[in-house]
Amino acid sequence: MKALNENNEEQKMVDEGKVEQGTENKSGYIRMKKFPFIMLLFLLVFLSAGITTFALAFGKDKVVTVAPQRSEFNKLYAAFDTLKNGYYKDVNQQKLINGAIDGMVSSLDDPYSDYMSNEEAKSFHSSISSSFEGIGAEIQEKDGHIIIVSPIKGSPAEKAGLKPNDIVVTVNGKSIQGMNSTQAVTLIRGKKGTKVELTIQRPGTDAPMTVPIVRDTIPIETVYGEMVDESIAKVQITSFSTNTTKELVTTLNDLQKKGMKGVVLDLRQNPGGLLDQAVSITSMFVPKGKVIVKEQDRNGKVKEIASQNEGSPNLPLVVLIDKGSASASEIFAAAVKESAGVPLVGEKSFGKGTVQTAEDFKDGSNLKYTIAKWLTPNGNWIHKKGIVPDFDVALPDYASLPIINPEKELALSTSSTEVQTAQKMLKAVGYDPEREDGFFDEKTKEAVIAFQTAQGLPADGVLKGDSTMKLMDLLREKIKASDTQLQKAVEVLKERMK
């Protein structure tokens, strides 16, 4: 099974885990293989016992022969024996072995390469199933920090206001600085109905924010369609999952019955997904034989993947991207732009341009490591650069406002960055407090009361709990209603349909 991952820079999504599927994993482009591996401990035992060769079968025809007397491992053996025999407490030998493997992978200094314990591997695999339990966000490790790649549509993470590039500082009070994304996912995920508290540092803001989130079941429903007017449809793909092609075909067929003549395909906040799904869907819009993506291995050898032309490339199309569009989303966007002349609208994408493979050990643990670059049809490597849209369009300023912790009380005479954020939100949704300096004065209280009264909430002039959540809900609705990027995409599409 091939998958695009963590994005993902792995569309791990806080995910927490999505193999690119965008949820609590890293974002990236992954190929998954399940080959039985022998654990390092067994290998050490066989070699130290004087076995001259050791063959391990992979599937039907792949065999690895391990020769003894590998001098480069002498230091590793010595360290293992020293700790096992001389440490002041009994050591867990399996833990030592896992640590050794993890150390090797960490030394690569590659945020997309991970060694996963049995428990972490289970979380990794569940991210490509039909559903999982967590907060529904894609994460990645970058420069020693865990950052949000993208929240999943309708997830607790999205409802709590998490945004791409938010830095997760702590999870339930525990610092996660220096952790890889797999370790962070293990802390962030949990049973439906349980609460996890994240401390978030948002770029451009001074103070960190505490964000309580109640975990839920995150279904992997990936395609949402609606008519924008009598002839134009908007179709959002939230990730490239197992059934995304089928979902998209069904959605497009339904929209055609409603009069769809052109489509805006929305890949904003899409952290990636399965490679076969990305190729299949891209083939619906790129002429047969045209290149969709190229892979370049360590020796510079390039493999091309061409359009299968499973659909009609003649449907007028415009694609929306933003900084949360990663991995598989970028493969699709680059392919339709360079091989089919489809315009891109929005903001520069995330920039994930490497390929990973994931292999299971016999004990259920997992090793994921980078094996290649992926290139656009024209041979461009977008890693850490992103894809620049043809039409650079930003959302309104209020679309990037930080989160307000609903458990924190904002009331008369208080002063804070949260109050400043609340004032900007109130103004955006039509209840102008006439100031945005962060001081909660009488005018601010009047604005809060007016907002609470209009929404049928207790009109006490205090922002907390339901009032805070409702204010953020109204802002999300405002952002959707004033979607400048979608408006521009529709305008461009109408020109293409003439």
Side-chain angles (χ1 to χ4, degrees), residues 222-242:
T222 60
V223 180
Y224 303 82
E226 61 181 318
M227 295 298 296
V228 175
D229 60 24
E230 66 280 357
S231 63
I232 293 177
K234 186 194 88 164
V235 176
Q236 182 180 14
I237 301 178
T238 59
S239 67
F240 292 87
S241 188
T242 307

Side-chain angles (χ1 to χ4, degrees), residues 42 46 82 93 135-136 138 200 262 294 299 311-312 338 352 382 392 414 435 458 493:
F42 298 155
F46 273 97
T82 298
Q93 296 186 28
I135 68 168
E138 182 87 7
I200 298 294
K294 300 178 180 180
N299 298 315
S312 171
E338 295 182 5
K352 170 66 179 68
I382 58 89
D392 191 350
T414 59
R435 67 188 305 162
L493 183 57

Side-chain angles (χ1 to χ4, degrees), residues 200-448:
I200 298 294
Q201 180 67 59
R202 178 161 295 169
T205 62
D206 296 327
M209 304 169 283
T210 300
V211 186
I213 305 176
V214 177
R215 301 178 177 103
D216 202 348
T217 299
I218 313 298
I220 309 304
E221 183 179 353
T222 60
V223 180
Y224 303 82
E226 61 181 318
M227 295 298 296
V228 175
D229 60 24
E230 66 280 357
S231 63
I232 293 177
K234 186 194 88 164
V235 176
Q236 182 180 14
I237 301 178
T238 59
S239 67
F240 292 87
S241 188
T242 307
N243 296 315
T244 301
T245 298
K246 292 180 181 178
E247 290 182 48
L248 180 59
V249 170
T250 298
T251 298
L252 290 176
N253 285 338
D254 289 343
L255 292 170
Q256 282 183 327
K257 294 175 184 177
K258 297 178 181 179
M260 179 187 71
K261 304 298 182 185
V263 62
V264 174
L265 196 62
D266 189 353
L267 296 181
R268 292 175 296 179
Q269 308 289 293
N270 182 322
L274 301 174
L275 176 58
D276 62 345
Q277 295 293 306
V279 170
S280 176
I281 290 170
T282 307
S283 294
M284 296 170 65
F285 305 99
V286 171
K288 186 174 183 178
K290 290 281 190 177
V291 175
I292 288 176
V293 66
K294 300 178 180 180
E295 292 181 25
Q296 183 178 36
D297 66 19
R298 64 192 295 175
N299 298 315
K301 183 178 179 180
V302 176
K303 172 187 174 183
E304 295 185 350
I305 300 176
S307 172
Q308 303 163 5
N309 197 20
E310 295 176 348
S312 171
N314 300 316
L315 179 67
L317 175 70
V318 171
V319 175
L320 281 168
I321 59 172
D322 68 3
K323 54 191 173 185
S325 305
S327 190
S329 301
E330 294 174 298
I331 287 178
F332 178 94
V336 295
K337 174 183 171 67
E338 295 182 5
S339 291
V342 172
L344 308 179
V345 176
E347 300 171 312
K348 185 171 70 173
S349 65
F350 184 77
K352 170 66 179 68
T354 56
V355 183
Q356 285 72 42
T357 188
E359 300 181 356
D360 287 337
F361 287 96
K362 195 172 183 179
D363 71 338
S365 56
N366 181 281
L367 182 65
K368 178 167 62 64
Y369 57 99
T370 300
I371 58 171
K373 300 176 180 179
W374 71 260
L375 310 175
T376 71
N378 291 345
N380 298 314
W381 194 37
I382 58 89
H383 194 60
K384 296 184 178 181
K385 302 173 186 176
I387 300 170
V388 177
D390 300 282
F391 300 90
D392 191 350
V393 182
L395 292 173
D397 290 342
Y398 54 75
S400 59
L401 286 174
I403 307 156
I404 304 174
N405 184 355
E407 296 183 356
K408 187 169 184 178
E409 182 174 288
L410 306 182
L412 188 64
S413 298
T414 59
S415 180
S416 66
T417 56
E418 288 90 348
V419 171
Q420 184 180 49
T421 297
Q423 289 169 334
K424 292 179 179 180
M425 287 184 180
L426 287 164
K427 181 177 180 180
V429 299
Y431 304 95
D432 190 357
E434 299 181 14
R435 67 188 305 162
E436 298 177 8
D437 59 0
F439 179 70
F440 201 120
D441 66 349
E442 287 290 348
K443 286 288 187 182
T444 303
K445 182 177 179 179
E446 290 174 9
V448 171

Side-chain angles (χ1 to χ4, degrees), residues 145-162:
H145 299 288
I146 298 297
I147 70 168
I148 302 293
V149 174
S150 179
I152 298 175
K153 181 180 177 67
S155 68
E158 183 190 53
K159 293 175 182 176
L162 296 186

Side-chain angles (χ1 to χ4, degrees), residues 39-57:
M39 288 308 296
L40 179 59
L41 176 59
F42 298 155
L43 181 59
L44 295 177
V45 172
F46 273 97
L47 295 182
S48 63
I51 302 297
T52 57
T53 60
F54 179 75
L56 175 63

